[in-house]
Amino acid sequence: MHIVSQRDQERKRGKRYRSISFHREIKKEKRGKMREIVSIHLGQAGIQVGNSCWELYCLEHGIQPDGLMPNNTSNDSFGTFFSEGRRGKYVPRAVYLDLEPMVIDEVRTGSYRKLFNPNQLISGKEDAANNFARGHYTVGREFIDQCVDRVRKLADNCSNLQGFMVFNAVGGGTGSGLGSLLLERLSNEYGKTLKLGFTIFPSPKVSTAVVEPYNAVLATHSMIEHTDIVVQLDNEAIYDICRKGLRLEKPSYRNLNRLISQTISSLTTSLRFNGSMNVDISEFQTNLVPFPRIHFMLSSYAPVVSSSRAYHELNSVPEITNAVFDPSNMMAKCDPRKGKYMACCLMYRGDIAPKDVNTSVGSIKTKKTVQFVDWCPTGFKCGINYQAPTFVPGGDLAKVKRAVCMISNNTAVSEVFSRIDHKFDTMFAKRAFVHWYLGEGMEEGEFSEAREDLAALEKDYEEVVQDGQQEEEY
């Protein structure tokens, strides 16, 4: 009798060990399937866009501001942006970097203070003072090793790192100077890993600093070499979208950032949720970038409707598809009708049928206002995801069943560069404000080198259109 009970105990113990090892294997398998992204938020603009993004991600995955998930499901979709910590707490895979403490202090004391790992909120004591050279050479140089170490730790903890998302503005000193320095370091350490930039460029009329053209030209020079895709954003263009779509007389930065966050969320839904046509983030690069230097994109999102107007709008698939091609919905101030499309990525989400997508894309191809270069006959990359857009409580955007985000490569983006270059030339002809940069260890030759690189980039965009026209003549 005693022997039988002992055998039973051994059998039970064996079963327990087998079940434990089986669950471990499942966890390992799930980790292998995860596709992680590390987000890097630089300077005031990058951090404020980041705050809106993490607010939205938390709502999409059912994570509370303290990092806990009350309705814990077996679904591991959160793994793209969040890592699982102790006691069921979820921590963003994000690093916040700023040379002055004020903006990050707002995060440290705000409603999401318990969400972030304090080690990933890194602030200095001295501002870059709208000076690229301070962010890149003097103040930023002392700060950069600490930043890279923290990014490296996050990247090393990923089982299948998809890429880095870098959020910054190139008009300020931290976003341009420290941003360029960090991208150079990431390029050296993670050369093959995708670096996707969401960059706020100076607006044509709205300006926050006199020296914006200098910072923008110097930072763009670095981005040409050290990023794989840059999505151009522009406060003035997004102001106009908010005024027109949401009927807001005086949109705030929070209104703008919430719209940007919906666009960024739509790009990554395929990594996180199920769909009939999923698009991996590396597929953007393959389909959108025909030549390495030509990787500056336009973005648009639809529908942009307020809660009061939502019940009067149909928001059908053809309607929202037409809306993202409307020049007034582009998030950078340039007219795509003046240029030609090289490629378009349409990311649909929500209640979408593939048949409707094919019909809508077919009708867009027949429009004369949407012109493609002759050497790219296909032009469209489509993704469909079943996860509907998430409504932000207290936000301006209405709750909708379906939405689409478009990232497109259009030759009209050279308008943005030529506008900045013109302002740069006007100031640099008089060497106005240059002494502030030289005093921080920069050389005057770096200005000329950066400006020549942007002139070459403008020329590249011209040649892309001319190649097709020359072939037609022959």
Side-chain angles (χ1 to χ4, degrees):
M1 189 76 183
H2 177 69
I3 296 166
V4 172
S5 64
Q6 200 173 346
R7 275 182 191 162
D8 285 348
Q9 280 177 346
E10 283 174 8
R11 203 175 289 136
K12 278 179 185 175
R13 205 177 295 144
K15 273 185 181 177
R16 201 184 304 133
Y17 286 142
R18 278 199 296 276
S19 69
I20 289 166
S21 62
F22 175 68
H23 285 300
R24 276 181 187 156
E25 286 300 316
I26 285 177
K27 272 197 168 181
K28 272 185 189 175
E29 203 176 305
K30 275 190 173 182
R31 273 197 74 190
K33 284 180 185 173
M34 273 188 204
R35 293 174 292 178
E36 301 98 343
I37 289 173
V38 172
S39 302
I40 302 167
H41 305 273
L42 286 146
Q44 184 170 353
I47 290 165
Q48 287 176 344
V49 171
N51 291 341
S52 294
C53 286
W54 289 105
E55 175 189 40
L56 182 60
Y57 300 155
C58 284
L59 289 166
E60 286 179 339
H61 295 288
I63 295 170
Q64 293 177 336
D66 59 2
L68 298 172
M69 193 191 288
N71 306 322
N72 201 340
T73 58
S74 57
N75 180 5
D76 61 347
S77 61
F78 62 84
T80 298
F81 286 123
F82 295 88
S83 59
E84 197 170 350
R86 290 181 192 171
R87 297 175 190 169
K89 191 175 162 83
Y90 297 92
V91 184
R93 281 197 178 87
V95 184
Y96 277 39
L97 309 170
D98 201 0
L99 293 176
E100 53 132 2
M102 200 170 73
V103 187
I104 289 183
D105 282 347
E106 286 175 19
V107 180
R108 289 186 181 120
T109 56
S111 53
Y112 285 85
R113 62 188 177 277
K114 290 182 182 175
L115 180 70
F116 295 95
N117 179 345
N119 295 330
Q120 286 160 215
L121 305 175
I122 305 169
S123 57
K125 295 186 178 75
E126 211 178 342
D127 193 9
N130 287 127
N131 187 332
F132 174 91
R134 279 175 71 80
H136 195 276
Y137 291 101
T138 46
V139 185
R141 191 72 70 180
E142 296 163 15
F143 190 70
I144 191 68
D145 290 330
Q146 188 186 354
C147 305
V148 174
D149 284 346
R150 186 45 58 184
V151 172
R152 195 184 295 119
K153 275 183 186 171
L154 279 179
D156 290 347
N157 287 332
C158 296
S159 57
N160 185 9
L161 180 63
Q162 289 289 295
F164 297 100
M165 279 188 174
V166 182
F167 299 78
N168 65 329
V170 291
T174 306
S176 63
L178 185 65
S180 301
L181 188 57
L182 184 67
L183 284 168
E184 283 167 29
R185 293 286 291 269
L186 288 178
S187 193
N188 291 336
E189 288 197 30
Y190 302 94
K192 294 275 175 76
T193 310
L194 181 76
K195 285 162 283 295
L196 178 58
F198 292 92
T199 304
I200 297 159
F201 276 78
S203 309
K205 293 172 189 167
V206 179
S207 175
T208 55
V210 177
V211 289
E212 268 183 351
Y214 285 161
N215 295 334
V217 167
L218 292 162
T220 307
H221 170 52
S222 176
M223 284 195 293
I224 291 168
E225 192 178 341
H226 300 296
T227 55
D228 298 302
I229 295 176
V230 175
V231 178
Q232 290 188 336
L233 302 166
D234 172 339
N235 283 338
E236 193 177 321
I238 305 168
Y239 271 130
D240 292 346
I241 294 168
C242 287
R243 279 201 203 100
K244 181 188 145 206
L246 302 175
R247 305 285 166 91
L248 296 171
E249 275 186 45
K250 293 177 181 176
S252 66
Y253 280 133
R254 176 166 281 193
N255 302 134
L256 271 61
N257 293 339
R258 278 182 170 161
L259 184 54
I260 294 168
S261 67
Q262 286 288 358
T263 308
I264 294 161
S265 167
S266 297
L267 291 183
T268 57
T269 41
S270 290
L271 294 178
R272 300 178 284 147
F273 306 107
N274 290 327
S276 58
M277 284 201 289
N278 276 348
V279 177
D280 203 304
I281 201 159
S282 57
E283 289 179 43
F284 290 130
Q285 188 184 3
T286 312
N287 289 282
L288 286 171
V289 183
F291 309 104
R293 284 168 63 86
I294 296 182
H295 61 251
F296 293 87
M297 307 294 157
L298 281 176
S299 62
S300 55
Y301 178 84
V304 180
V305 284
S306 60
S307 306
S308 57
R309 285 173 56 218
Y311 299 105
H312 307 289
E313 304 277 339
L314 183 62
N315 294 330
S316 63
V317 176
E319 203 175 308
I320 60 174
T321 307
N322 285 331
V324 285
F325 281 93
D326 186 342
S328 64
N329 282 333
M330 295 297 160
M331 291 191 183
K333 270 281 177 214
C334 63
D335 191 346
R337 293 170 301 189
K338 290 179 183 173
K340 287 190 176 183
Y341 287 97
M342 287 165 270
C344 289
C345 237
L346 289 165
M347 304 296 296
Y348 292 90
R349 62 188 295 187
D351 180 18
I352 304 280
K355 180 174 152 286
D356 295 339
V357 171
N358 294 334
T359 310
S360 304
V361 168
S363 71
I364 288 289
K365 284 179 177 176
T366 60
K367 288 192 170 185
K368 284 188 177 179
T369 49
V370 179
Q371 293 277 312
F372 276 82
V373 288
D374 305 305
W375 46 263
C376 192
T378 322
F380 286 92
K381 169 79 181 166
C382 297
I384 300 172
N385 197 276
Y386 300 135
Q387 183 78 13
T390 302
F391 171 72
V392 179
D396 311 288
L397 286 164
K399 190 173 184 176
V400 289
K401 284 184 181 178
R402 62 184 71 85
V404 61
C405 161
M406 180 176 78
I407 302 292
S408 59
N409 199 344
N410 189 304
T411 57
V413 295
S414 61
E415 268 184 57
V416 176
F417 300 126
S418 58
R419 204 164 48 225
I420 295 165
D421 287 346
H422 173 69
K423 290 177 182 174
F424 178 98
D425 293 342
T426 309
M427 284 163 63
F428 194 64
K430 291 283 183 190
R431 299 295 186 270
F433 306 102
V434 170
H435 65 284
W436 293 116
Y437 293 79
L438 303 184
E440 298 291 338
M442 257 185 88
E443 292 175 10
E444 202 173 294
E446 289 179 61
F447 282 92
S448 310
E449 187 189 329
R451 176 66 185 86
E452 282 165 21
D453 196 17
L454 258 75
L457 184 65
E458 281 186 62
K459 193 80 180 153
D460 291 342
Y461 276 102
E462 280 174 33
E463 284 172 7
V464 161
V465 182
Q466 284 169 2
D467 285 349
Q469 290 170 349
Q470 283 170 357
E471 280 171 25
E472 274 181 22
E473 285 168 18
Y474 287 123

Short mmCIF file of all heavy atoms in Angstrom, two decimals, residues 163-204:
data_model
loop_
_atom_site.label_atom_id
_atom_site.label_comp_id
_atom_site.label_asym_id
_atom_site.label_seq_id
_atom_site.Cartn_x
_atom_site.Cartn_y
_atom_site.Cartn_z
N GLY A 163 12.45 47.68 -34.68
CA GLY A 163 13.05 48.96 -35.04
C GLY A 163 12.91 49.99 -33.94
O GLY A 163 12.35 49.73 -32.88
N PHE A 164 13.44 51.17 -34.23
CA PHE A 164 13.36 52.31 -33.30
C PHE A 164 12.43 53.35 -33.90
O PHE A 164 12.52 53.65 -35.10
CB PHE A 164 14.75 52.94 -33.11
CG PHE A 164 15.75 52.02 -32.48
CD1 PHE A 164 16.69 51.35 -33.26
CD2 PHE A 164 15.77 51.83 -31.11
CE1 PHE A 164 17.63 50.51 -32.70
CE2 PHE A 164 16.71 50.98 -30.52
CZ PHE A 164 17.64 50.32 -31.31
N MET A 165 11.56 53.90 -33.07
CA MET A 165 10.75 55.05 -33.49
C MET A 165 11.31 56.27 -32.77
O MET A 165 11.37 56.29 -31.53
CB MET A 165 9.29 54.86 -33.09
CG MET A 165 8.51 53.99 -34.03
SD MET A 165 6.77 54.06 -33.56
CE MET A 165 6.03 53.13 -34.87
N VAL A 166 11.73 57.27 -33.53
CA VAL A 166 12.35 58.45 -32.95
C VAL A 166 11.43 59.65 -33.17
O VAL A 166 11.06 59.96 -34.31
CB VAL A 166 13.75 58.72 -33.57
CG1 VAL A 166 14.41 59.92 -32.92
CG2 VAL A 166 14.64 57.49 -33.42
N PHE A 167 11.02 60.30 -32.08
CA PHE A 167 10.11 61.44 -32.14
C PHE A 167 10.89 62.71 -31.77
O PHE A 167 11.47 62.78 -30.68
CB PHE A 167 8.97 61.27 -31.12
CG PHE A 167 8.12 60.05 -31.35
CD1 PHE A 167 8.55 58.79 -30.98
CD2 PHE A 167 6.87 60.17 -31.94
CE1 PHE A 167 7.77 57.66 -31.19
CE2 PHE A 167 6.08 59.04 -32.16
CZ PHE A 167 6.53 57.79 -31.78
N ASN A 168 10.92 63.67 -32.67
CA ASN A 168 11.62 64.92 -32.37
C ASN A 168 11.16 66.04 -33.29
O ASN A 168 10.42 65.79 -34.25
CB ASN A 168 13.14 64.74 -32.48
CG ASN A 168 13.59 64.43 -33.89
OD1 ASN A 168 12.88 63.81 -34.68
ND2 ASN A 168 14.79 64.85 -34.24
N ALA A 169 11.58 67.25 -32.97
CA ALA A 169 11.35 68.40 -33.86
C ALA A 169 12.71 68.93 -34.25
O ALA A 169 13.62 68.98 -33.42
CB ALA A 169 10.56 69.47 -33.13
N VAL A 170 12.88 69.30 -35.52
CA VAL A 170 14.20 69.75 -35.97
C VAL A 170 14.37 71.27 -35.90
O VAL A 170 15.39 71.80 -36.29
CB VAL A 170 14.54 69.25 -37.40
CG1 VAL A 170 14.75 67.75 -37.39
CG2 VAL A 170 13.47 69.66 -38.40
N GLY A 171 13.37 71.96 -35.35
CA GLY A 171 13.49 73.41 -35.21
C GLY A 171 14.23 73.81 -33.95
O GLY A 171 14.91 74.83 -33.92
N GLY A 172 14.10 73.00 -32.90
CA GLY A 172 14.73 73.31 -31.61
C GLY A 172 16.16 72.82 -31.53
O GLY A 172 16.69 72.23 -32.47
N GLY A 173 16.79 73.04 -30.37
CA GLY A 173 18.19 72.65 -30.20
C GLY A 173 18.36 71.20 -29.81
O GLY A 173 19.21 70.48 -30.35
N THR A 174 17.50 70.70 -28.87
CA THR A 174 17.62 69.31 -28.41
C THR A 174 17.19 68.34 -29.50
O THR A 174 17.89 67.38 -29.81
CB THR A 174 16.77 69.09 -27.13
OG1 THR A 174 17.14 70.06 -26.16
CG2 THR A 174 16.99 67.71 -26.56
N GLY A 175 16.00 68.58 -30.08
CA GLY A 175 15.48 67.68 -31.12
C GLY A 175 16.40 67.57 -32.31
O GLY A 175 16.59 66.49 -32.87
N SER A 176 17.03 68.70 -32.70
CA SER A 176 17.92 68.67 -33.88
C SER A 176 19.32 68.20 -33.50
O SER A 176 19.83 67.25 -34.07
CB SER A 176 17.98 70.06 -34.52
OG SER A 176 18.53 71.01 -33.63
N GLY A 177 19.94 68.83 -32.49
CA GLY A 177 21.33 68.52 -32.14
C GLY A 177 21.51 67.18 -31.48
O GLY A 177 22.24 66.31 -31.98
N LEU A 178 20.80 66.97 -30.34
CA LEU A 178 20.91 65.69 -29.65
C LEU A 178 20.30 64.57 -30.49
O LEU A 178 20.80 63.44 -30.50
CB LEU A 178 20.20 65.77 -28.28
CG LEU A 178 20.33 64.53 -27.38
CD1 LEU A 178 21.77 64.30 -26.96
CD2 LEU A 178 19.43 64.65 -26.16
N GLY A 179 19.22 64.90 -31.24
CA GLY A 179 18.59 63.91 -32.12
C GLY A 179 19.57 63.39 -33.17
O GLY A 179 19.67 62.18 -33.40
N SER A 180 20.32 64.30 -33.79
CA SER A 180 21.31 63.90 -34.81
C SER A 180 22.42 63.05 -34.19
O SER A 180 22.83 62.04 -34.77
CB SER A 180 21.95 65.14 -35.45
OG SER A 180 20.97 65.93 -36.04
N LEU A 181 22.87 63.46 -33.01
CA LEU A 181 23.94 62.73 -32.34
C LEU A 181 23.49 61.31 -31.97
O LEU A 181 24.23 60.34 -32.18
CB LEU A 181 24.35 63.50 -31.07
CG LEU A 181 25.58 63.02 -30.30
CD1 LEU A 181 26.82 62.97 -31.18
CD2 LEU A 181 25.83 63.91 -29.08
N LEU A 182 22.26 61.20 -31.47
CA LEU A 182 21.74 59.89 -31.09
C LEU A 182 21.54 58.99 -32.31
O LEU A 182 21.87 57.80 -32.28
CB LEU A 182 20.42 60.05 -30.33
CG LEU A 182 19.79 58.76 -29.80
CD1 LEU A 182 20.64 58.14 -28.71
CD2 LEU A 182 18.39 59.00 -29.27
N LEU A 183 21.04 59.57 -33.40
CA LEU A 183 20.84 58.78 -34.63
C LEU A 183 22.17 58.26 -35.18
O LEU A 183 22.25 57.14 -35.68
CB LEU A 183 20.11 59.62 -35.69
CG LEU A 183 18.61 59.82 -35.47
CD1 LEU A 183 18.06 60.89 -36.40
CD2 LEU A 183 17.85 58.51 -35.68
N GLU A 184 23.21 59.10 -35.08
CA GLU A 184 24.55 58.66 -35.53
C GLU A 184 25.01 57.46 -34.72
O GLU A 184 25.54 56.48 -35.26
CB GLU A 184 25.55 59.81 -35.38
CG GLU A 184 25.43 60.87 -36.48
CD GLU A 184 26.21 62.14 -36.15
OE1 GLU A 184 27.22 62.05 -35.43
OE2 GLU A 184 25.80 63.23 -36.61
N ARG A 185 24.81 57.52 -33.38
CA ARG A 185 25.23 56.42 -32.52
C ARG A 185 24.41 55.16 -32.77
O ARG A 185 24.94 54.05 -32.80
CB ARG A 185 25.10 56.86 -31.05
CG ARG A 185 26.08 57.97 -30.63
CD ARG A 185 27.51 57.46 -30.47
NE ARG A 185 27.65 56.57 -29.33
CZ ARG A 185 27.97 56.96 -28.09
NH1 ARG A 185 28.23 58.25 -27.85
NH2 ARG A 185 28.07 56.10 -27.12
N LEU A 186 23.10 55.33 -32.97
CA LEU A 186 22.23 54.17 -33.26
C LEU A 186 22.60 53.54 -34.59
O LEU A 186 22.58 52.32 -34.75
CB LEU A 186 20.75 54.60 -33.29
CG LEU A 186 20.07 54.95 -31.98
CD1 LEU A 186 18.63 55.38 -32.23
CD2 LEU A 186 20.09 53.78 -31.00
N SER A 187 22.96 54.40 -35.54
CA SER A 187 23.35 53.92 -36.87
C SER A 187 24.61 53.06 -36.79
O SER A 187 24.74 52.05 -37.48
CB SER A 187 23.58 55.13 -37.77
OG SER A 187 23.68 54.75 -39.10
N ASN A 188 25.54 53.46 -35.91
CA ASN A 188 26.77 52.68 -35.73
C ASN A 188 26.52 51.35 -35.03
O ASN A 188 27.06 50.32 -35.42
CB ASN A 188 27.80 53.48 -34.90
CG ASN A 188 28.33 54.66 -35.68
OD1 ASN A 188 28.31 54.67 -36.91
ND2 ASN A 188 28.78 55.70 -34.98
N GLU A 189 25.67 51.38 -34.00
CA GLU A 189 25.45 50.17 -33.18
C GLU A 189 24.39 49.24 -33.76
O GLU A 189 24.46 48.04 -33.59
CB GLU A 189 25.06 50.57 -31.75
CG GLU A 189 26.22 51.15 -30.97
CD GLU A 189 25.97 51.14 -29.47
OE1 GLU A 189 25.25 50.25 -28.97
OE2 GLU A 189 26.51 52.05 -28.80
N TYR A 190 23.35 49.82 -34.40
CA TYR A 190 22.24 49.02 -34.92
C TYR A 190 22.03 49.37 -36.39
O TYR A 190 20.97 49.86 -36.79
CB TYR A 190 20.96 49.30 -34.13
CG TYR A 190 21.07 49.01 -32.65
CD1 TYR A 190 21.42 50.03 -31.75
CD2 TYR A 190 20.86 47.74 -32.15
CE1 TYR A 190 21.54 49.77 -30.40
CE2 TYR A 190 20.97 47.47 -30.78
CZ TYR A 190 21.32 48.49 -29.92
OH TYR A 190 21.43 48.23 -28.57
N GLY A 191 23.06 49.13 -37.18
CA GLY A 191 23.04 49.54 -38.60
C GLY A 191 21.90 48.93 -39.39
O GLY A 191 21.30 49.59 -40.24
N LYS A 192 21.58 47.65 -39.13
CA LYS A 192 20.57 46.95 -39.93
C LYS A 192 19.15 47.15 -39.39
O LYS A 192 18.18 46.81 -40.06
CB LYS A 192 20.88 45.44 -39.92
CG LYS A 192 22.18 45.06 -40.64
CD LYS A 192 21.94 44.91 -42.14
CE LYS A 192 23.23 44.65 -42.90
NZ LYS A 192 23.72 43.29 -42.76
N THR A 193 19.02 47.65 -38.15
CA THR A 193 17.69 47.80 -37.54
C THR A 193 17.03 49.07 -38.07
O THR A 193 17.66 50.11 -38.18
CB THR A 193 17.82 47.88 -36.00
OG1 THR A 193 18.63 46.80 -35.56
CG2 THR A 193 16.47 47.78 -35.33
N LEU A 194 15.72 48.95 -38.38
CA LEU A 194 14.97 50.07 -38.95
C LEU A 194 14.89 51.25 -37.98
O LEU A 194 14.62 51.07 -36.80
CB LEU A 194 13.55 49.60 -39.28
CG LEU A 194 12.62 50.64 -39.92
CD1 LEU A 194 12.96 50.86 -41.38
CD2 LEU A 194 11.17 50.21 -39.80
N LYS A 195 15.16 52.44 -38.50
CA LYS A 195 15.02 53.67 -37.71
C LYS A 195 13.98 54.55 -38.38
O LYS A 195 14.20 55.06 -39.47
CB LYS A 195 16.38 54.39 -37.58
CG LYS A 195 17.30 53.69 -36.59
CD LYS A 195 18.74 54.07 -36.72
CE LYS A 195 19.44 53.43 -37.90
NZ LYS A 195 19.56 51.97 -37.81
N LEU A 196 12.84 54.66 -37.71
CA LEU A 196 11.68 55.37 -38.27
C LEU A 196 11.49 56.67 -37.50
O LEU A 196 11.29 56.65 -36.28
CB LEU A 196 10.46 54.45 -38.12
CG LEU A 196 9.08 54.91 -38.57
CD1 LEU A 196 9.09 55.27 -40.04
CD2 LEU A 196 8.05 53.83 -38.33
N GLY A 197 11.60 57.80 -38.18
CA GLY A 197 11.50 59.10 -37.52
C GLY A 197 10.15 59.76 -37.74
O GLY A 197 9.63 59.75 -38.86
N PHE A 198 9.57 60.30 -36.67
CA PHE A 198 8.38 61.16 -36.78
C PHE A 198 8.86 62.55 -36.40
O PHE A 198 9.06 62.85 -35.23
CB PHE A 198 7.26 60.66 -35.86
CG PHE A 198 6.71 59.34 -36.30
CD1 PHE A 198 7.23 58.15 -35.82
CD2 PHE A 198 5.69 59.28 -37.24
CE1 PHE A 198 6.74 56.92 -36.25
CE2 PHE A 198 5.19 58.06 -37.68
CZ PHE A 198 5.73 56.87 -37.18
N THR A 199 9.07 63.37 -37.42
CA THR A 199 9.81 64.62 -37.23
C THR A 199 8.96 65.83 -37.56
O THR A 199 8.36 65.90 -38.64
CB THR A 199 11.08 64.58 -38.12
OG1 THR A 199 11.81 63.40 -37.80
CG2 THR A 199 11.94 65.79 -37.87
N ILE A 200 8.93 66.77 -36.62
CA ILE A 200 8.18 68.01 -36.84
C ILE A 200 9.12 69.04 -37.47
O ILE A 200 10.13 69.42 -36.88
CB ILE A 200 7.59 68.53 -35.51
CG1 ILE A 200 6.59 67.49 -34.97
CG2 ILE A 200 6.91 69.88 -35.71
CD1 ILE A 200 6.31 67.58 -33.52
N PHE A 201 8.80 69.40 -38.71
CA PHE A 201 9.62 70.37 -39.47
C PHE A 201 9.06 71.78 -39.27
O PHE A 201 7.88 71.95 -38.97
CB PHE A 201 9.60 70.00 -40.96
CG PHE A 201 10.61 68.95 -41.33
CD1 PHE A 201 10.37 67.60 -41.05
CD2 PHE A 201 11.81 69.29 -41.93
CE1 PHE A 201 11.31 66.63 -41.37
CE2 PHE A 201 12.76 68.32 -42.26
CZ PHE A 201 12.50 67.00 -41.98
N PRO A 202 9.89 72.80 -39.47
CA PRO A 202 9.40 74.19 -39.34
C PRO A 202 8.25 74.47 -40.30
O PRO A 202 8.27 74.03 -41.45
CB PRO A 202 10.62 75.04 -39.69
CG PRO A 202 11.79 74.16 -39.40
CD PRO A 202 11.34 72.77 -39.72
N SER A 203 7.26 75.20 -39.83
CA SER A 203 6.09 75.54 -40.65
C SER A 203 6.40 76.76 -41.51
O SER A 203 7.31 77.54 -41.18
CB SER A 203 4.91 75.86 -39.74
OG SER A 203 4.73 74.83 -38.81
N PRO A 204 5.64 76.96 -42.60
CA PRO A 204 5.91 78.12 -43.47
C PRO A 204 5.71 79.46 -42.77
O PRO A 204 6.51 80.37 -42.93
CB PRO A 204 4.89 77.96 -44.60
CG PRO A 204 4.41 76.56 -44.54
CD PRO A 204 4.59 76.09 -43.14
#
